[in-house]
Amino acid sequence: MSLDLNKAIKKIEEITYLHRKEFEDREARIRLSVKHMGESTGEEIAGKLRSVSNRPFLWAGATEGLGQVYEPGPLPKAFSVASTDGSHIDVDRHMPIPCALINIGGCVIRYNLQTKSEFFNEPEVYHGEGLYLKGDTNTVDEVYIEGSTLGMLRTVGEIEYLSNILTEYQDNSPILGLMDGSLILWQVSGPGVPQLVKRRVIDQTFIPAMDKLKNLSKTRALGIASYISMPRSTDVVNTLRLYLCQSADEKCSGLCSIRKSLSSPCNLVNNIVDRDIFAALLKEGQRSAIFSSTSVIMEDYGNHRICFFYVNNGWEIGRVEVPQWIACNPDLLSLTHTLVLDQCRKGIGYPVAVSEAHEQAVLTGSDRRAFQDMILAQINNGVSSNNTSQKDRSKRLPWL
Amino acid sequence: MSNQLGRPIAEVIEANIETFKAQCYELYKPPPLGSLVKAGNMPVYGIVTDIITEGLDPSRPIVARGFSATTEEEIYTQNPQLMELLCTKFRAIAVGYSHDNLLIQGYPYEPPKIHAFVHECLPNELSDLSSSSDFIHLLLQHPEVKDEILTATLISISRQITDREKFLVRAGKTLAIELTGQMSRLNAILRKLKQ
């Protein structure tokens, strides 16, 4: 045997000792963090946030004590939950016809209602001139739809599709529109994203869809949310970091990074994420206070800035994002909290409707192959010329 | 033989000369085991020999959901999507086909089409089937048909026709010939038929 276990075991003992010590230290810091959160008041937090402007990390806006918790409301007797999700096939440059596909899937699950639950999906194929985003007036200005642009159109397409489903929903019972992932389209604010893409995604799709949902919420019991499982965000931890910080902006920039702080007392929350502190704070079913995103993209969201809360669903701490008009309406906020929680309970830790929407949207390997095969079959029927690349041929027919 | 059709109860999703499989339009509403059904415009007649309820998507495992429910109904009330994601299917063994408006006993010359509608049979069609015992021979020859299924079939037919006694006596005689040398098996079937 080439491994000297006697030598290795000493190192392993050292590593596990450090890991245990670090774990105990972290647990103690989480407990202390929760204590500080419980002592904070809305006025203190709001005052502190007003006094800072430039820090090397992103924090959550808050107007109430960080340690505030809320119980869910009573579950409505009859209600529905609608959800959408998307999947796409990117442009394959080895295919004879450049084309892309976005498949949006969704469901409306009805609880204690006479009407049946519904499942649906809607594929949209982009090809030819349709593969270019174009400016309204300047015809020279255009962006090819592929890669991350296609991904952004898909994400915002899910929101648009959900708004259409909810608009057509006829029953008078409460309904929750629930999506997977984040409502904060941070990719759109990333470097190198053309204005044209930003305009299509935010101004021409996201904002109109949210306007429609906001108007609907004025006439019926409607919750809108997105659910993030096992969130890795640190927005609230960073707000606590600010609350504890006694330094001015300039000094902080020299002592803190996005991930951690070198000075006390801010280093209390080093290597802790939001879900760690809410796992210690929230009992099963409870939600946290409402926080608001301070992501730069929020400047383009108009009346639909995104707020969020954390919820202990009994299996995990989930992050629930809602538009501010839901966060500011106690009835719709409570409905959203209650129905998201119920969905997680019914789905054994993850919202049922979101899972089912995913099943409707997902494109399997065989779906992708079938899509390509259909294109090639049409070409072989004489619809178009066959100029598949030899690289593609070699992948399809790896002959010996 | 009447061609009068009611509402279809299922649709063929798999078919060969000997058997066809159909998906029911309503969950947990299959035709009874041993009953006679017909598939297609030029009907192929089959005896229901198996009933299955499973997920529509075979890649999705079904998990227990009743940990906090007090009744089975509550599980379905709490998870209404199950009604749309589960489906009941049944398998039928071909015992006859329609030719010149007559029910001919034996395997059809071609299986029913995929997506062919499946109907439950009318009493006059059961009478046509019961007028001959050839279908008993077909069922006994099929490896999937257990004696319990054969018994269920004979009882099911006898309950829906007018000359019940005559049918059962003829069936018993056919069985006695078909199962020559298998006395204990024959007796077990006949005991069930007498109940």
Side-chain angles (χ1 to χ4, degrees):
Chain A
M1 198 161 78
S2 57
L3 174 63
D4 186 340
L5 284 173
N6 287 328
K7 287 180 185 168
I9 194 73
K10 283 179 189 156
K11 195 67 192 169
I12 291 168
E13 280 171 357
E14 196 181 316
I15 293 167
T16 49
Y17 171 75
L18 285 174
H19 177 77
R20 201 165 47 243
K21 200 164 176 304
E22 196 178 295
F23 177 79
E24 285 163 3
D25 168 64
R26 198 163 163 279
E27 289 296 297
R29 286 190 292 115
I30 288 171
R31 280 196 297 276
L32 193 54
S33 299
V34 170
K35 183 170 173 282
H36 284 305
M37 286 169 72
E39 288 164 359
S40 68
T41 65
E43 291 74 33
E44 282 176 310
I45 296 292
K48 187 76 184 188
L49 295 182
R50 271 197 302 274
S51 69
V52 294
S53 59
N54 184 26
R55 300 283 164 140
F57 48 82
L58 192 71
W59 62 86
T63 53
E64 51 188 330
L66 300 179
Q68 195 69 46
V69 297
Y70 296 88
E71 298 293 337
L75 191 66
K77 192 165 175 254
F79 61 93
S80 297
V81 181
S83 183
T84 53
D85 197 6
S87 186
H88 68 258
I89 298 175
D90 210 338
V91 177
D92 182 350
R93 71 180 187 85
H94 298 289
M95 288 296 285
I97 303 176
C99 56
L101 180 142
I102 291 179
N103 189 44
I104 305 281
C107 64
V108 179
I109 303 182
R110 296 179 167 90
Y111 296 89
N112 288 318
L113 290 165
Q114 292 302 314
T115 325
K116 283 182 175 179
S117 298
E118 289 174 83
F119 300 85
F120 28 76
N121 48 56
E122 196 64 53
E124 187 171 356
V125 178
Y126 296 79
H127 66 99
E129 286 300 303
L131 268 174
Y132 294 88
L133 282 184
K134 294 182 178 171
D136 296 333
T137 50
N138 180 1
T139 50
V140 180
D141 196 11
E142 60 184 21
V143 175
Y144 193 54
I145 300 174
E146 65 174 343
S148 58
T149 304
L150 184 65
M152 284 184 255
L153 289 178
R154 184 193 102 181
T155 305
V156 82
E158 295 166 18
I159 299 169
E160 187 180 36
Y161 197 56
L162 183 67
S163 76
N164 293 339
I165 291 173
L166 293 172
T167 307
E168 287 163 17
Y169 182 75
Q170 295 296 325
D171 199 273
N172 285 325
S173 56
I175 185 165
L176 171 71
L178 188 58
M179 275 168 294
D180 175 39
S182 182
L183 290 172
I184 304 163
L185 304 170
W186 53 268
Q187 313 93 309
V188 186
S189 63
V193 175
Q195 273 303 313
L196 200 57
V197 174
K198 199 170 167 182
R199 202 160 58 241
R200 168 64 72 89
V201 171
I202 302 292
D203 303 342
Q204 295 172 346
T205 315
F206 180 81
I207 299 289
M210 290 304 251
D211 282 344
K212 209 151 92 172
L213 292 171
K214 188 180 177 189
N215 285 336
L216 266 180
S217 75
K218 289 173 185 164
T219 58
R220 62 170 315 138
L222 170 73
I224 294 292
S226 71
Y227 182 84
I228 303 170
S229 176
M230 204 169 169
R232 289 178 302 170
S233 42
T234 53
D235 309 40
V236 180
V237 158
N238 287 340
T239 305
L240 178 63
R241 202 164 152 187
L242 276 181
Y243 170 68
L244 297 172
C245 181
Q246 288 151 9
S247 308
D249 285 349
E250 308 77 47
K251 194 181 169 194
C252 176
S253 300
L255 289 169
C256 291
S257 70
I258 290 177
R259 196 169 64 84
K260 62 180 188 177
S261 173
L262 297 176
S263 69
S264 177
C266 323
N267 59 4
L268 177 74
V269 292
N270 283 358
N271 297 321
I272 292 174
V273 296
D274 289 356
R275 70 166 190 272
D276 295 328
I277 49 175
F278 288 111
L281 177 69
L282 300 173
K283 293 192 179 76
E284 185 182 337
Q286 289 180 333
R287 75 161 173 87
S288 70
I290 287 288
F291 304 99
S292 58
S293 169
T294 54
S295 170
V296 67
I297 193 69
M298 289 300 113
E299 288 164 17
D300 298 313
Y301 269 41
N303 296 322
H304 310 296
R305 295 177 77 93
I306 301 303
C307 298
F308 61 92
F309 60 83
Y310 288 90
V311 64
N312 179 345
N313 72 25
W315 282 265
E316 67 167 5
I317 300 295
R319 172 166 158 146
V320 180
E321 294 183 351
V322 295
Q324 67 179 20
W325 39 270
I326 294 280
C328 295
N329 182 322
D331 292 339
L332 296 186
L333 180 61
S334 175
L335 177 72
T336 303
H337 172 200
T338 305
L339 294 189
V340 167
L341 179 66
D342 183 62
Q343 279 290 291
C344 292
R345 284 173 172 164
K346 288 185 163 90
I348 318 174
Y350 189 71
V352 175
V354 179
S355 297
E356 295 303 340
H358 169 77
E359 290 299 326
Q360 293 300 313
V362 69
L363 293 168
T364 62
S366 61
D367 291 331
R368 291 167 195 276
R369 275 193 300 279
F371 177 65
Q372 289 191 344
D373 288 346
M374 278 166 70
I375 293 169
L376 292 173
Q378 289 288 313
I379 289 166
N380 291 333
N381 283 339
V383 175
S384 177
S385 66
N386 186 348
N387 58 349
T388 309
S389 77
Q390 289 307 304
K391 182 176 178 179
D392 184 61
R393 193 276 308 147
S394 80
K395 282 184 187 169
R396 285 167 171 273
L397 296 168
W399 55 53
L400 290 170
Chain B
M1 191 174 68
S2 166
N3 285 327
Q4 193 188 345
L5 293 175
R7 277 171 58 86
I9 54 164
E11 202 170 304
V12 174
I13 54 168
E14 204 179 290
N16 58 35
I17 291 293
E18 293 182 9
T19 66
F20 58 88
K21 194 173 180 181
Q23 183 179 326
C24 297
Y25 290 130
E26 285 193 64
L27 186 66
Y28 298 128
K29 298 240 172 113
L33 187 73
S35 64
L36 184 67
V37 293
K38 58 183 174 184
N41 293 332
M42 291 295 288
V44 171
Y45 291 87
I47 298 285
V48 176
T49 56
D50 195 13
I51 298 165
I52 318 112
T53 296
E54 59 190 4
L56 269 174
D57 181 349
S59 69
R60 297 182 65 183
I62 296 171
V63 297
R65 289 178 179 270
F67 42 84
S68 61
T70 48
T71 62
E72 283 176 25
E73 289 70 28
E74 199 182 326
I75 296 176
Y76 286 91
T77 313
Q78 292 292 307
N79 301 278
Q81 76 278 10
L82 292 178
M83 296 301 287
E84 313 306 320
L85 298 174
L86 294 175
C87 64
T88 300
K89 298 171 183 172
F90 63 86
R91 185 176 287 282
I93 288 179
V95 292
Y97 57 96
S98 177
H99 182 71
D100 286 344
N101 219 20
L102 290 172
L103 194 165
I104 311 293
Q105 296 200 14
Y107 288 152
Y109 289 103
E110 56 181 315
K113 289 178 182 158
I114 299 297
H115 298 302
F117 289 144
V118 181
H119 292 84
E120 284 181 299
C121 283
L122 301 166
N124 65 309
E125 289 166 309
L126 280 160
S127 295
D128 286 350
L129 184 78
S130 66
S131 64
S132 159
S133 298
D134 290 353
F135 75 95
I136 297 177
H137 174 75
L138 274 179
L139 289 177
L140 278 171
Q141 289 218 317
H142 202 285
E144 281 180 24
V145 178
K146 303 284 183 290
D147 289 349
E148 282 293 325
I149 295 170
L150 176 70
T151 316
T153 305
L154 296 175
I155 292 171
S156 166
I157 295 172
S158 71
R159 282 180 183 160
Q160 294 175 72
I161 57 175
T162 46
D163 45 1
R164 179 173 189 266
E165 196 69 29
K166 195 175 155 192
F167 167 71
L168 284 177
V169 169
R170 195 171 59 244
K173 284 179 181 171
T174 306
L175 286 169
I177 295 165
E178 293 283 343
L179 300 176
T180 306
Q182 300 179 60
M183 192 56 77
S184 60
R185 186 180 171 198
L186 175 65
N187 283 335
I189 296 174
L190 294 178
R191 267 200 306 278
K192 285 266 181 185
L193 290 179
K194 275 184 191 167
Q195 286 169 8

